[in-house]
Amino acid sequence: MYKPKVFNAVLEGFFPAKSERVYGLLGKMPNQIVQIMRLPVWQKIMEHFLQKPFKFYVGEKLVENLSGYTLSTSAMLRLVPGAERQPLHRDGIPWQAGPNLEDPLDTPMVGCLIAGSKCTYKNGATLVIPGSHKWPVDRVPKLEECAIAEMEPGSALFTLGTTYHAGGENKCTSEDPEAIRALFAVFGQRDYLRRNQEEVLSTPAEIACELPDDILRLTGYYKSVGSIGHIEHRNPIEFIRDGMSLGKVPTRLNYLAGKRGMCLLPE
């Protein structure tokens, strides 16, 4: 039986002790995520790096288009005093995507880290290696090559999926006035790739139904430009709005299944 090895980030020490995370922010703080998703700078960066031209024939008709982009992950990342440094890594790991040395700006995703607190060297500001998106896969990242992304609350750091970076070490004590480092991660990816985090499943349906249409398109509730992510060639949001229960089988199919000695499926 085929049993692929799964990259277990926790066992590999990817999230050190005293680093805290809350995922699926679209369902927990939708108003704030809507504001972030609508930021012009976020939109332009996603358009620039994630829209990829493609063309193909359908019969004798040539179709030309650009791929879309969608929310990949949303999370709150918090470091408390004593949190250890995260290992340097590239965020393209989930898609097994290495750097394209012929086109270093080619990336499956773009990271966006927004400071929810003041981020300093002492409380664990993100470490980044500028230019590392041009490195081959066999070059080892070194701590001495890092820059420190110190930020004021509301500032943002954008990285390519091939840029080496890591959460810093929180060297503060609990008495320090800026002891907690908080970041909000709102990442984007190409819409035809499997999403890193399934916000559609973690967001309650009643919240999804209240989200504006442009946000639904950016968060996976519509098919991709190439029609990936459909349910019976419909958009997932249509099923949610219709109150349809996925997985039900029509009565006629149940009848035929029974006639063939198969298990009857629940209506």
Side-chain angles (χ1 to χ4, degrees), residues 15-37:
F15 296 119
K18 298 188 178 180
S19 64
E20 303 169 347
R21 297 160 303 284
V22 177
Y23 296 105
L25 301 185
L26 184 64
K28 298 179 176 70
M29 43 184 290
N31 293 336
Q32 291 83 357
I33 296 302
V34 167
Q35 292 181 48
I36 293 171
M37 299 286 284

Side-chain angles (χ1 to χ4, degrees), residues 22-256:
V22 177
Y23 296 105
L25 301 185
L26 184 64
K28 298 179 176 70
M29 43 184 290
N31 293 336
Q32 291 83 357
I33 296 302
V34 167
Q35 292 181 48
I36 293 171
M37 299 286 284
R38 284 178 168 171
L39 289 172
V41 64
W42 193 96
Q43 296 275 341
K44 291 298 182 183
I45 288 175
M46 300 302 110
E47 289 175 11
H48 182 78
F49 290 103
L50 301 180
Q51 286 192 318
K52 190 173 183 179
F54 65 95
K55 59 178 67 176
F56 54 89
Y57 277 96
V58 177
E60 296 183 0
K61 181 180 179 181
L62 179 63
V63 179
E64 298 183 70
N65 212 333
L66 290 171
S67 62
Y69 52 89
T70 184
L71 179 67
S72 170
T73 301
S74 67
M76 192 280 290
L77 313 173
R78 190 169 179 263
L79 296 182
V80 301
E84 297 178 357
R85 178 176 60 83
Q86 190 181 31
L88 289 161
H89 63 280
R90 287 168 158 159
D91 280 338
I93 288 174
W95 298 277
Q96 301 176 27
N100 180 349
L101 300 185
E102 294 183 359
D103 181 6
L105 298 182
D106 181 23
T107 178
M109 59 80 63
V110 175
C112 172
L113 296 173
I114 300 173
S117 69
K118 190 167 184 177
C119 300
T120 67
Y121 168 74
K122 188 176 181 181
N123 70 13
T126 304
L127 307 174
V128 188
I129 303 182
S132 56
H133 63 291
K134 301 178 182 180
W135 291 4
V137 293
D138 56 356
R139 178 168 173 176
V140 180
K142 301 292 186 180
L143 185 60
E144 56 268 23
E145 298 173 291
C146 293
I148 302 167
E150 294 190 311
M151 295 191 287
E152 295 293 328
S155 299
L157 168 67
F158 289 91
T159 61
L160 300 179
T162 48
T163 302
Y164 276 109
H165 65 288
E169 176 187 358
N170 191 325
K171 301 179 180 181
C172 293
T173 65
S174 57
E175 289 75 28
D176 289 326
E178 296 169 352
I180 305 297
R181 190 224 70 176
L183 288 174
F184 293 93
V186 183
F187 294 172
Q189 66 172 80
R190 289 181 177 155
D191 68 353
Y192 56 82
L193 298 172
R194 182 170 180 175
R195 289 177 184 85
N196 191 18
Q197 178 176 283
E198 295 292 355
E199 299 270 356
V200 173
L201 296 178
S202 63
T203 302
E206 57 270 21
I207 292 179
C209 287
E210 297 296 322
L211 292 172
D213 199 63
D214 63 315
I215 299 302
L216 291 170
R217 291 186 181 278
L218 287 172
T219 51
Y221 289 88
Y222 279 83
K223 297 179 287 186
S224 72
V225 172
S227 202
I228 287 175
H230 68 80
I231 302 175
E232 298 177 0
H233 286 286
R234 297 174 64 195
N235 295 301
I237 189 59
E238 296 178 65
F239 276 77
I240 294 174
R241 286 172 173 165
D242 290 347
M244 298 180 70
S245 178
L246 302 182
K248 286 188 176 181
V249 179
T251 302
R252 176 64 178 167
L253 293 183
N254 262 337
Y255 172 77
L256 292 175

